[in-house]
Amino acid sequence: MAAAVGTNVAPTPTSGESAPGSQQQQLINFYDEIEIEDMDYDPDEDIYTYPCPCGDRFQISKDDLRNGDFVAKCPSCSLIIKVVYDVDTL
């Protein structure tokens, strides 16, 4: 069983949010960082998946990745992973 990495990343503020360094800034606690090459791709659903320790699978769509999202979510629990990828290889 893989140990949780617990990577903390500060999200980039969008319009109306506080700037980095403010008291309202929140950290994202990832369960792990996974290379996209280690994920499974389902061409019918157009999603990448990776096993979650809860028994379900983390999921992220190819469109989300193309749009700069890198957070794959598990639909059955609160865990999230950071997907490491190069948008040019999608």
Side-chain angles (χ1 to χ4, degrees), residues 45-69:
E45 303 258 343
D46 202 29
I47 61 170
Y48 287 90
T49 63
Y50 189 80
C52 180
C54 79
D56 205 342
R57 299 184 69 80
F58 295 102
Q59 302 176 359
I60 190 165
S61 73
K62 195 179 242 188
D63 284 339
D64 287 341
L65 292 166
R66 283 187 188 119
N67 290 331
D69 193 3

mmCIF file with all atom_site columns, all heavy atoms in Angstrom, residues 45-69:
data_model
loop_
_atom_site.group_PDB
_atom_site.id
_atom_site.type_symbol
_atom_site.label_atom_id
_atom_site.label_alt_id
_atom_site.label_comp_id
_atom_site.label_asym_id
_atom_site.label_entity_id
_atom_site.label_seq_id
_atom_site.pdbx_PDB_ins_code
_atom_site.Cartn_x
_atom_site.Cartn_y
_atom_site.Cartn_z
_atom_site.occupancy
_atom_site.B_iso_or_equiv
_atom_site.pdbx_formal_charge
_atom_site.auth_seq_id
_atom_site.auth_comp_id
_atom_site.auth_asym_id
_atom_site.auth_atom_id
_atom_site.pdbx_PDB_model_num
ATOM 1   N N   . GLU A 1 45 ? -15.217 6.939  -22.382 1.00 0.00 ? 45 GLU A N   1
ATOM 2   C CA  . GLU A 1 45 ? -15.651 7.979  -21.433 1.00 0.00 ? 45 GLU A CA  1
ATOM 3   C C   . GLU A 1 45 ? -14.787 9.234  -21.537 1.00 0.00 ? 45 GLU A C   1
ATOM 4   O O   . GLU A 1 45 ? -15.129 10.269 -20.978 1.00 0.00 ? 45 GLU A O   1
ATOM 5   C CB  . GLU A 1 45 ? -15.587 7.439  -20.002 1.00 0.00 ? 45 GLU A CB  1
ATOM 6   C CG  . GLU A 1 45 ? -16.410 6.189  -19.786 1.00 0.00 ? 45 GLU A CG  1
ATOM 7   C CD  . GLU A 1 45 ? -17.716 6.468  -19.100 1.00 0.00 ? 45 GLU A CD  1
ATOM 8   O OE1 . GLU A 1 45 ? -17.859 7.543  -18.507 1.00 0.00 ? 45 GLU A OE1 1
ATOM 9   O OE2 . GLU A 1 45 ? -18.585 5.606  -19.160 1.00 0.00 ? 45 GLU A OE2 1
ATOM 10  N N   . ASP A 1 46 ? -13.627 9.118  -22.192 1.00 0.00 ? 46 ASP A N   1
ATOM 11  C CA  . ASP A 1 46 ? -12.662 10.207 -22.343 1.00 0.00 ? 46 ASP A CA  1
ATOM 12  C C   . ASP A 1 46 ? -12.176 10.706 -20.976 1.00 0.00 ? 46 ASP A C   1
ATOM 13  O O   . ASP A 1 46 ? -12.062 11.904 -20.731 1.00 0.00 ? 46 ASP A O   1
ATOM 14  C CB  . ASP A 1 46 ? -13.258 11.356 -23.161 1.00 0.00 ? 46 ASP A CB  1
ATOM 15  C CG  . ASP A 1 46 ? -12.194 12.234 -23.804 1.00 0.00 ? 46 ASP A CG  1
ATOM 16  O OD1 . ASP A 1 46 ? -11.095 11.732 -24.102 1.00 0.00 ? 46 ASP A OD1 1
ATOM 17  O OD2 . ASP A 1 46 ? -12.457 13.436 -23.992 1.00 0.00 ? 46 ASP A OD2 1
ATOM 18  N N   . ILE A 1 47 ? -11.884 9.743  -20.063 1.00 0.00 ? 47 ILE A N   1
ATOM 19  C CA  . ILE A 1 47 ? -11.397 10.078 -18.729 1.00 0.00 ? 47 ILE A CA  1
ATOM 20  C C   . ILE A 1 47 ? -10.177 9.234  -18.372 1.00 0.00 ? 47 ILE A C   1
ATOM 21  O O   . ILE A 1 47 ? -9.997  8.128  -18.868 1.00 0.00 ? 47 ILE A O   1
ATOM 22  C CB  . ILE A 1 47 ? -12.465 9.899  -17.632 1.00 0.00 ? 47 ILE A CB  1
ATOM 23  C CG1 . ILE A 1 47 ? -12.935 8.443  -17.547 1.00 0.00 ? 47 ILE A CG1 1
ATOM 24  C CG2 . ILE A 1 47 ? -13.624 10.838 -17.815 1.00 0.00 ? 47 ILE A CG2 1
ATOM 25  C CD1 . ILE A 1 47 ? -13.805 8.148  -16.349 1.00 0.00 ? 47 ILE A CD1 1
ATOM 26  N N   . TYR A 1 48 ? -9.360  9.805  -17.502 1.00 0.00 ? 48 TYR A N   1
ATOM 27  C CA  . TYR A 1 48 ? -8.250  9.083  -16.895 1.00 0.00 ? 48 TYR A CA  1
ATOM 28  C C   . TYR A 1 48 ? -8.683  8.675  -15.496 1.00 0.00 ? 48 TYR A C   1
ATOM 29  O O   . TYR A 1 48 ? -9.355  9.437  -14.797 1.00 0.00 ? 48 TYR A O   1
ATOM 30  C CB  . TYR A 1 48 ? -7.011  9.969  -16.802 1.00 0.00 ? 48 TYR A CB  1
ATOM 31  C CG  . TYR A 1 48 ? -6.332  10.203 -18.125 1.00 0.00 ? 48 TYR A CG  1
ATOM 32  C CD1 . TYR A 1 48 ? -6.687  11.276 -18.930 1.00 0.00 ? 48 TYR A CD1 1
ATOM 33  C CD2 . TYR A 1 48 ? -5.328  9.343  -18.573 1.00 0.00 ? 48 TYR A CD2 1
ATOM 34  C CE1 . TYR A 1 48 ? -6.058  11.493 -20.149 1.00 0.00 ? 48 TYR A CE1 1
ATOM 35  C CE2 . TYR A 1 48 ? -4.695  9.563  -19.791 1.00 0.00 ? 48 TYR A CE2 1
ATOM 36  C CZ  . TYR A 1 48 ? -5.073  10.631 -20.570 1.00 0.00 ? 48 TYR A CZ  1
ATOM 37  O OH  . TYR A 1 48 ? -4.452  10.846 -21.780 1.00 0.00 ? 48 TYR A OH  1
ATOM 38  N N   . THR A 1 49 ? -8.291  7.470  -15.085 1.00 0.00 ? 49 THR A N   1
ATOM 39  C CA  . THR A 1 49 ? -8.639  6.985  -13.748 1.00 0.00 ? 49 THR A CA  1
ATOM 40  C C   . THR A 1 49 ? -7.411  6.385  -13.077 1.00 0.00 ? 49 THR A C   1
ATOM 41  O O   . THR A 1 49 ? -6.442  5.996  -13.734 1.00 0.00 ? 49 THR A O   1
ATOM 42  C CB  . THR A 1 49 ? -9.752  5.913  -13.799 1.00 0.00 ? 49 THR A CB  1
ATOM 43  O OG1 . THR A 1 49 ? -9.281  4.776  -14.513 1.00 0.00 ? 49 THR A OG1 1
ATOM 44  C CG2 . THR A 1 49 ? -11.018 6.454  -14.443 1.00 0.00 ? 49 THR A CG2 1
ATOM 45  N N   . TYR A 1 50 ? -7.486  6.320  -11.740 1.00 0.00 ? 50 TYR A N   1
ATOM 46  C CA  . TYR A 1 50 ? -6.410  5.738  -10.941 1.00 0.00 ? 50 TYR A CA  1
ATOM 47  C C   . TYR A 1 50 ? -7.052  5.166  -9.675  1.00 0.00 ? 50 TYR A C   1
ATOM 48  O O   . TYR A 1 50 ? -7.950  5.790  -9.099  1.00 0.00 ? 50 TYR A O   1
ATOM 49  C CB  . TYR A 1 50 ? -5.375  6.818  -10.585 1.00 0.00 ? 50 TYR A CB  1
ATOM 50  C CG  . TYR A 1 50 ? -4.134  6.276  -9.950  1.00 0.00 ? 50 TYR A CG  1
ATOM 51  C CD1 . TYR A 1 50 ? -3.133  5.697  -10.724 1.00 0.00 ? 50 TYR A CD1 1
ATOM 52  C CD2 . TYR A 1 50 ? -3.954  6.334  -8.569  1.00 0.00 ? 50 TYR A CD2 1
ATOM 53  C CE1 . TYR A 1 50 ? -1.982  5.186  -10.137 1.00 0.00 ? 50 TYR A CE1 1
ATOM 54  C CE2 . TYR A 1 50 ? -2.808  5.826  -7.978  1.00 0.00 ? 50 TYR A CE2 1
ATOM 55  C CZ  . TYR A 1 50 ? -1.830  5.251  -8.776  1.00 0.00 ? 50 TYR A CZ  1
ATOM 56  O OH  . TYR A 1 50 ? -0.698  4.749  -8.201  1.00 0.00 ? 50 TYR A OH  1
ATOM 57  N N   . PRO A 1 51 ? -6.604  3.992  -9.202  1.00 0.00 ? 51 PRO A N   1
ATOM 58  C CA  . PRO A 1 51 ? -7.225  3.391  -8.020  1.00 0.00 ? 51 PRO A CA  1
ATOM 59  C C   . PRO A 1 51 ? -7.110  4.262  -6.770  1.00 0.00 ? 51 PRO A C   1
ATOM 60  O O   . PRO A 1 51 ? -6.062  4.825  -6.479  1.00 0.00 ? 51 PRO A O   1
ATOM 61  C CB  . PRO A 1 51 ? -6.443  2.090  -7.825  1.00 0.00 ? 51 PRO A CB  1
ATOM 62  C CG  . PRO A 1 51 ? -5.768  1.823  -9.127  1.00 0.00 ? 51 PRO A CG  1
ATOM 63  C CD  . PRO A 1 51 ? -5.545  3.158  -9.765  1.00 0.00 ? 51 PRO A CD  1
ATOM 64  N N   . CYS A 1 52 ? -8.213  4.367  -6.061  1.00 0.00 ? 52 CYS A N   1
ATOM 65  C CA  . CYS A 1 52 ? -8.271  5.083  -4.783  1.00 0.00 ? 52 CYS A CA  1
ATOM 66  C C   . CYS A 1 52 ? -8.234  4.047  -3.658  1.00 0.00 ? 52 CYS A C   1
ATOM 67  O O   . CYS A 1 52 ? -8.769  2.946  -3.812  1.00 0.00 ? 52 CYS A O   1
ATOM 68  C CB  . CYS A 1 52 ? -9.561  5.907  -4.706  1.00 0.00 ? 52 CYS A CB  1
ATOM 69  S SG  . CYS A 1 52 ? -9.747  6.842  -3.163  1.00 0.00 ? 52 CYS A SG  1
ATOM 70  N N   . PRO A 1 53 ? -7.624  4.370  -2.522  1.00 0.00 ? 53 PRO A N   1
ATOM 71  C CA  . PRO A 1 53 ? -7.589  3.410  -1.420  1.00 0.00 ? 53 PRO A CA  1
ATOM 72  C C   . PRO A 1 53 ? -8.966  3.020  -0.891  1.00 0.00 ? 53 PRO A C   1
ATOM 73  O O   . PRO A 1 53 ? -9.109  1.977  -0.258  1.00 0.00 ? 53 PRO A O   1
ATOM 74  C CB  . PRO A 1 53 ? -6.765  4.099  -0.336  1.00 0.00 ? 53 PRO A CB  1
ATOM 75  C CG  . PRO A 1 53 ? -6.470  5.456  -0.805  1.00 0.00 ? 53 PRO A CG  1
ATOM 76  C CD  . PRO A 1 53 ? -6.887  5.593  -2.219  1.00 0.00 ? 53 PRO A CD  1
ATOM 77  N N   . CYS A 1 54 ? -10.001 3.815  -1.179  1.00 0.00 ? 54 CYS A N   1
ATOM 78  C CA  . CYS A 1 54 ? -11.346 3.488  -0.703  1.00 0.00 ? 54 CYS A CA  1
ATOM 79  C C   . CYS A 1 54 ? -11.973 2.355  -1.518  1.00 0.00 ? 54 CYS A C   1
ATOM 80  O O   . CYS A 1 54 ? -13.013 1.824  -1.149  1.00 0.00 ? 54 CYS A O   1
ATOM 81  C CB  . CYS A 1 54 ? -12.248 4.721  -0.705  1.00 0.00 ? 54 CYS A CB  1
ATOM 82  S SG  . CYS A 1 54 ? -12.918 5.165  -2.328  1.00 0.00 ? 54 CYS A SG  1
ATOM 83  N N   . GLY A 1 55 ? -11.353 2.010  -2.659  1.00 0.00 ? 55 GLY A N   1
ATOM 84  C CA  . GLY A 1 55 ? -11.883 0.947  -3.511  1.00 0.00 ? 55 GLY A CA  1
ATOM 85  C C   . GLY A 1 55 ? -12.466 1.466  -4.811  1.00 0.00 ? 55 GLY A C   1
ATOM 86  O O   . GLY A 1 55 ? -12.686 0.704  -5.752  1.00 0.00 ? 55 GLY A O   1
ATOM 87  N N   . ASP A 1 56 ? -12.742 2.757  -4.893  1.00 0.00 ? 56 ASP A N   1
ATOM 88  C CA  . ASP A 1 56 ? -13.244 3.372  -6.126  1.00 0.00 ? 56 ASP A CA  1
ATOM 89  C C   . ASP A 1 56 ? -12.032 3.842  -6.941  1.00 0.00 ? 56 ASP A C   1
ATOM 90  O O   . ASP A 1 56 ? -10.918 3.369  -6.732  1.00 0.00 ? 56 ASP A O   1
ATOM 91  C CB  . ASP A 1 56 ? -14.180 4.534  -5.790  1.00 0.00 ? 56 ASP A CB  1
ATOM 92  C CG  . ASP A 1 56 ? -15.193 4.832  -6.891  1.00 0.00 ? 56 ASP A CG  1
ATOM 93  O OD1 . ASP A 1 56 ? -14.985 4.397  -8.039  1.00 0.00 ? 56 ASP A OD1 1
ATOM 94  O OD2 . ASP A 1 56 ? -16.180 5.528  -6.604  1.00 0.00 ? 56 ASP A OD2 1
ATOM 95  N N   . ARG A 1 57 ? -12.226 4.776  -7.859  1.00 0.00 ? 57 ARG A N   1
ATOM 96  C CA  . ARG A 1 57 ? -11.137 5.272  -8.693  1.00 0.00 ? 57 ARG A CA  1
ATOM 97  C C   . ARG A 1 57 ? -11.187 6.790  -8.797  1.00 0.00 ? 57 ARG A C   1
ATOM 98  O O   . ARG A 1 57 ? -12.264 7.366  -8.952  1.00 0.00 ? 57 ARG A O   1
ATOM 99  C CB  . ARG A 1 57 ? -11.225 4.661  -10.096 1.00 0.00 ? 57 ARG A CB  1
ATOM 100 C CG  . ARG A 1 57 ? -11.099 3.129  -10.078 1.00 0.00 ? 57 ARG A CG  1
ATOM 101 C CD  . ARG A 1 57 ? -11.093 2.537  -11.455 1.00 0.00 ? 57 ARG A CD  1
ATOM 102 N NE  . ARG A 1 57 ? -9.884  2.839  -12.215 1.00 0.00 ? 57 ARG A NE  1
ATOM 103 C CZ  . ARG A 1 57 ? -8.724  2.212  -12.088 1.00 0.00 ? 57 ARG A CZ  1
ATOM 104 N NH1 . ARG A 1 57 ? -8.573  1.263  -11.202 1.00 0.00 ? 57 ARG A NH1 1
ATOM 105 N NH2 . ARG A 1 57 ? -7.695  2.542  -12.841 1.00 0.00 ? 57 ARG A NH2 1
ATOM 106 N N   . PHE A 1 58 ? -10.015 7.433  -8.680  1.00 0.00 ? 58 PHE A N   1
ATOM 107 C CA  . PHE A 1 58 ? -9.912  8.857  -8.960  1.00 0.00 ? 58 PHE A CA  1
ATOM 108 C C   . PHE A 1 58 ? -10.230 9.048  -10.439 1.00 0.00 ? 58 PHE A C   1
ATOM 109 O O   . PHE A 1 58 ? -9.899  8.200  -11.267 1.00 0.00 ? 58 PHE A O   1
ATOM 110 C CB  . PHE A 1 58 ? -8.486  9.365  -8.701  1.00 0.00 ? 58 PHE A CB  1
ATOM 111 C CG  . PHE A 1 58 ? -8.060  9.285  -7.267  1.00 0.00 ? 58 PHE A CG  1
ATOM 112 C CD1 . PHE A 1 58 ? -7.217  8.274  -6.845  1.00 0.00 ? 58 PHE A CD1 1
ATOM 113 C CD2 . PHE A 1 58 ? -8.476  10.228 -6.347  1.00 0.00 ? 58 PHE A CD2 1
ATOM 114 C CE1 . PHE A 1 58 ? -6.795  8.200  -5.528  1.00 0.00 ? 58 PHE A CE1 1
ATOM 115 C CE2 . PHE A 1 58 ? -8.064  10.174 -5.023  1.00 0.00 ? 58 PHE A CE2 1
ATOM 116 C CZ  . PHE A 1 58 ? -7.223  9.146  -4.618  1.00 0.00 ? 58 PHE A CZ  1
ATOM 117 N N   . GLN A 1 59 ? -10.847 10.191 -10.790 1.00 0.00 ? 59 GLN A N   1
ATOM 118 C CA  . GLN A 1 59 ? -11.229 10.450 -12.173 1.00 0.00 ? 59 GLN A CA  1
ATOM 119 C C   . GLN A 1 59 ? -10.944 11.896 -12.552 1.00 0.00 ? 59 GLN A C   1
ATOM 120 O O   . GLN A 1 59 ? -11.131 12.803 -11.752 1.00 0.00 ? 59 GLN A O   1
ATOM 121 C CB  . GLN A 1 59 ? -12.732 10.215 -12.375 1.00 0.00 ? 59 GLN A CB  1
ATOM 122 C CG  . GLN A 1 59 ? -13.206 8.847  -12.038 1.00 0.00 ? 59 GLN A CG  1
ATOM 123 C CD  . GLN A 1 59 ? -14.717 8.727  -12.169 1.00 0.00 ? 59 GLN A CD  1
ATOM 124 O OE1 . GLN A 1 59 ? -15.410 9.679  -12.501 1.00 0.00 ? 59 GLN A OE1 1
ATOM 125 N NE2 . GLN A 1 59 ? -15.226 7.541  -11.894 1.00 0.00 ? 59 GLN A NE2 1
ATOM 126 N N   . ILE A 1 60 ? -10.514 12.064 -13.816 1.00 0.00 ? 60 ILE A N   1
ATOM 127 C CA  . ILE A 1 60 ? -10.379 13.398 -14.394 1.00 0.00 ? 60 ILE A CA  1
ATOM 128 C C   . ILE A 1 60 ? -10.544 13.258 -15.903 1.00 0.00 ? 60 ILE A C   1
ATOM 129 O O   . ILE A 1 60 ? -10.045 12.312 -16.508 1.00 0.00 ? 60 ILE A O   1
ATOM 130 C CB  . ILE A 1 60 ? -9.039  14.078 -14.019 1.00 0.00 ? 60 ILE A CB  1
ATOM 131 C CG1 . ILE A 1 60 ? -9.054  15.553 -14.438 1.00 0.00 ? 60 ILE A CG1 1
ATOM 132 C CG2 . ILE A 1 60 ? -7.856  13.317 -14.585 1.00 0.00 ? 60 ILE A CG2 1
ATOM 133 C CD1 . ILE A 1 60 ? -7.956  16.391 -13.818 1.00 0.00 ? 60 ILE A CD1 1
ATOM 134 N N   . SER A 1 61 ? -11.289 14.186 -16.493 1.00 0.00 ? 61 SER A N   1
ATOM 135 C CA  . SER A 1 61 ? -11.527 14.108 -17.933 1.00 0.00 ? 61 SER A CA  1
ATOM 136 C C   . SER A 1 61 ? -10.378 14.726 -18.707 1.00 0.00 ? 61 SER A C   1
ATOM 137 O O   . SER A 1 61 ? -9.644  15.579 -18.209 1.00 0.00 ? 61 SER A O   1
ATOM 138 C CB  . SER A 1 61 ? -12.837 14.820 -18.305 1.00 0.00 ? 61 SER A CB  1
ATOM 139 O OG  . SER A 1 61 ? -12.682 16.214 -18.215 1.00 0.00 ? 61 SER A OG  1
ATOM 140 N N   . LYS A 1 62 ? -10.249 14.305 -19.936 1.00 0.00 ? 62 LYS A N   1
ATOM 141 C CA  . LYS A 1 62 ? -9.219  14.858 -20.817 1.00 0.00 ? 62 LYS A CA  1
ATOM 142 C C   . LYS A 1 62 ? -9.473  16.351 -21.051 1.00 0.00 ? 62 LYS A C   1
ATOM 143 O O   . LYS A 1 62 ? -8.546  17.146 -21.108 1.00 0.00 ? 62 LYS A O   1
ATOM 144 C CB  . LYS A 1 62 ? -9.202  14.095 -22.140 1.00 0.00 ? 62 LYS A CB  1
ATOM 145 C CG  . LYS A 1 62 ? -7.969  14.333 -22.952 1.00 0.00 ? 62 LYS A CG  1
ATOM 146 C CD  . LYS A 1 62 ? -8.007  13.522 -24.236 1.00 0.00 ? 62 LYS A CD  1
ATOM 147 C CE  . LYS A 1 62 ? -6.876  12.538 -24.269 1.00 0.00 ? 62 LYS A CE  1
ATOM 148 N NZ  . LYS A 1 62 ? -6.747  11.859 -25.568 1.00 0.00 ? 62 LYS A NZ  1
ATOM 149 N N   . ASP A 1 63 ? -10.744 16.741 -21.162 1.00 0.00 ? 63 ASP A N   1
ATOM 150 C CA  . ASP A 1 63 ? -11.080 18.161 -21.332 1.00 0.00 ? 63 ASP A CA  1
ATOM 151 C C   . ASP A 1 63 ? -10.631 18.983 -20.126 1.00 0.00 ? 63 ASP A C   1
ATOM 152 O O   . ASP A 1 63 ? -10.112 20.089 -20.283 1.00 0.00 ? 63 ASP A O   1
ATOM 153 C CB  . ASP A 1 63 ? -12.576 18.350 -21.563 1.00 0.00 ? 63 ASP A CB  1
ATOM 154 C CG  . ASP A 1 63 ? -13.018 17.970 -22.960 1.00 0.00 ? 63 ASP A CG  1
ATOM 155 O OD1 . ASP A 1 63 ? -12.160 17.937 -23.878 1.00 0.00 ? 63 ASP A OD1 1
ATOM 156 O OD2 . ASP A 1 63 ? -14.223 17.702 -23.140 1.00 0.00 ? 63 ASP A OD2 1
ATOM 157 N N   . ASP A 1 64 ? -10.846 18.454 -18.920 1.00 0.00 ? 64 ASP A N   1
ATOM 158 C CA  . ASP A 1 64 ? -10.388 19.162 -17.716 1.00 0.00 ? 64 ASP A CA  1
ATOM 159 C C   . ASP A 1 64 ? -8.882  19.350 -17.742 1.00 0.00 ? 64 ASP A C   1
ATOM 160 O O   . ASP A 1 64 ? -8.372  20.425 -17.413 1.00 0.00 ? 64 ASP A O   1
ATOM 161 C CB  . ASP A 1 64 ? -10.791 18.409 -16.450 1.00 0.00 ? 64 ASP A CB  1
ATOM 162 C CG  . ASP A 1 64 ? -12.274 18.506 -16.148 1.00 0.00 ? 64 ASP A CG  1
ATOM 163 O OD1 . ASP A 1 64 ? -12.939 19.428 -16.687 1.00 0.00 ? 64 ASP A OD1 1
ATOM 164 O OD2 . ASP A 1 64 ? -12.779 17.671 -15.374 1.00 0.00 ? 64 ASP A OD2 1
ATOM 165 N N   . LEU A 1 65 ? -8.149  18.320 -18.151 1.00 0.00 ? 65 LEU A N   1
ATOM 166 C CA  . LEU A 1 65 ? -6.696  18.420 -18.237 1.00 0.00 ? 65 LEU A CA  1
ATOM 167 C C   . LEU A 1 65 ? -6.276  19.457 -19.267 1.00 0.00 ? 65 LEU A C   1
ATOM 168 O O   . LEU A 1 65 ? -5.374  20.252 -19.031 1.00 0.00 ? 65 LEU A O   1
ATOM 169 C CB  . LEU A 1 65 ? -6.093  17.058 -18.575 1.00 0.00 ? 65 LEU A CB  1
ATOM 170 C CG  . LEU A 1 65 ? -6.213  15.995 -17.477 1.00 0.00 ? 65 LEU A CG  1
ATOM 171 C CD1 . LEU A 1 65 ? -5.909  14.619 -18.044 1.00 0.00 ? 65 LEU A CD1 1
ATOM 172 C CD2 . LEU A 1 65 ? -5.300  16.318 -16.316 1.00 0.00 ? 65 LEU A CD2 1
ATOM 173 N N   . ARG A 1 66 ? -6.943  19.466 -20.414 1.00 0.00 ? 66 ARG A N   1
ATOM 174 C CA  . ARG A 1 66 ? -6.628  20.455 -21.457 1.00 0.00 ? 66 ARG A CA  1
ATOM 175 C C   . ARG A 1 66 ? -6.894  21.877 -20.979 1.00 0.00 ? 66 ARG A C   1
ATOM 176 O O   . ARG A 1 66 ? -6.259  22.823 -21.419 1.00 0.00 ? 66 ARG A O   1
ATOM 177 C CB  . ARG A 1 66 ? -7.454  20.176 -22.712 1.00 0.00 ? 66 ARG A CB  1
ATOM 178 C CG  . ARG A 1 66 ? -6.952  19.029 -23.529 1.00 0.00 ? 66 ARG A CG  1
ATOM 179 C CD  . ARG A 1 66 ? -7.710  18.926 -24.847 1.00 0.00 ? 66 ARG A CD  1
ATOM 180 N NE  . ARG A 1 66 ? -7.365  17.720 -25.550 1.00 0.00 ? 66 ARG A NE  1
ATOM 181 C CZ  . ARG A 1 66 ? -8.220  16.755 -25.859 1.00 0.00 ? 66 ARG A CZ  1
ATOM 182 N NH1 . ARG A 1 66 ? -9.496  16.863 -25.535 1.00 0.00 ? 66 ARG A NH1 1
ATOM 183 N NH2 . ARG A 1 66 ? -7.814  15.689 -26.511 1.00 0.00 ? 66 ARG A NH2 1
ATOM 184 N N   . ASN A 1 67 ? -7.865  22.032 -20.080 1.00 0.00 ? 67 ASN A N   1
ATOM 185 C CA  . ASN A 1 67 ? -8.219  23.346 -19.542 1.00 0.00 ? 67 ASN A CA  1
ATOM 186 C C   . ASN A 1 67 ? -7.352  23.748 -18.347 1.00 0.00 ? 67 ASN A C   1
ATOM 187 O O   . ASN A 1 67 ? -7.621  24.757 -17.698 1.00 0.00 ? 67 ASN A O   1
ATOM 188 C CB  . ASN A 1 67 ? -9.692  23.373 -19.148 1.00 0.00 ? 67 ASN A CB  1
ATOM 189 C CG  . ASN A 1 67 ? -10.608 23.331 -20.344 1.00 0.00 ? 67 ASN A CG  1
ATOM 190 O OD1 . ASN A 1 67 ? -10.254 23.791 -21.424 1.00 0.00 ? 67 ASN A OD1 1
ATOM 191 N ND2 . ASN A 1 67 ? -11.781 22.754 -20.180 1.00 0.00 ? 67 ASN A ND2 1
ATOM 192 N N   . GLY A 1 68 ? -6.326  22.953 -18.050 1.00 0.00 ? 68 GLY A N   1
ATOM 193 C CA  . GLY A 1 68 ? -5.396  23.311 -16.986 1.00 0.00 ? 68 GLY A CA  1
ATOM 194 C C   . GLY A 1 68 ? -5.708  22.733 -15.625 1.00 0.00 ? 68 GLY A C   1
ATOM 195 O O   . GLY A 1 68 ? -4.989  23.003 -14.657 1.00 0.00 ? 68 GLY A O   1
ATOM 196 N N   . ASP A 1 69 ? -6.777  21.952 -15.508 1.00 0.00 ? 69 ASP A N   1
ATOM 197 C CA  . ASP A 1 69 ? -7.087  21.323 -14.224 1.00 0.00 ? 69 ASP A CA  1
ATOM 198 C C   . ASP A 1 69 ? -6.115  20.172 -14.011 1.00 0.00 ? 69 ASP A C   1
ATOM 199 O O   . ASP A 1 69 ? -5.732  19.496 -14.956 1.00 0.00 ? 69 ASP A O   1
ATOM 200 C CB  . ASP A 1 69 ? -8.530  20.824 -14.222 1.00 0.00 ? 69 ASP A CB  1
ATOM 201 C CG  . ASP A 1 69 ? -9.027  20.444 -12.844 1.00 0.00 ? 69 ASP A CG  1
ATOM 202 O OD1 . ASP A 1 69 ? -8.277  20.611 -11.860 1.00 0.00 ? 69 ASP A OD1 1
ATOM 203 O OD2 . ASP A 1 69 ? -10.170 19.960 -12.750 1.00 0.00 ? 69 ASP A OD2 1
#
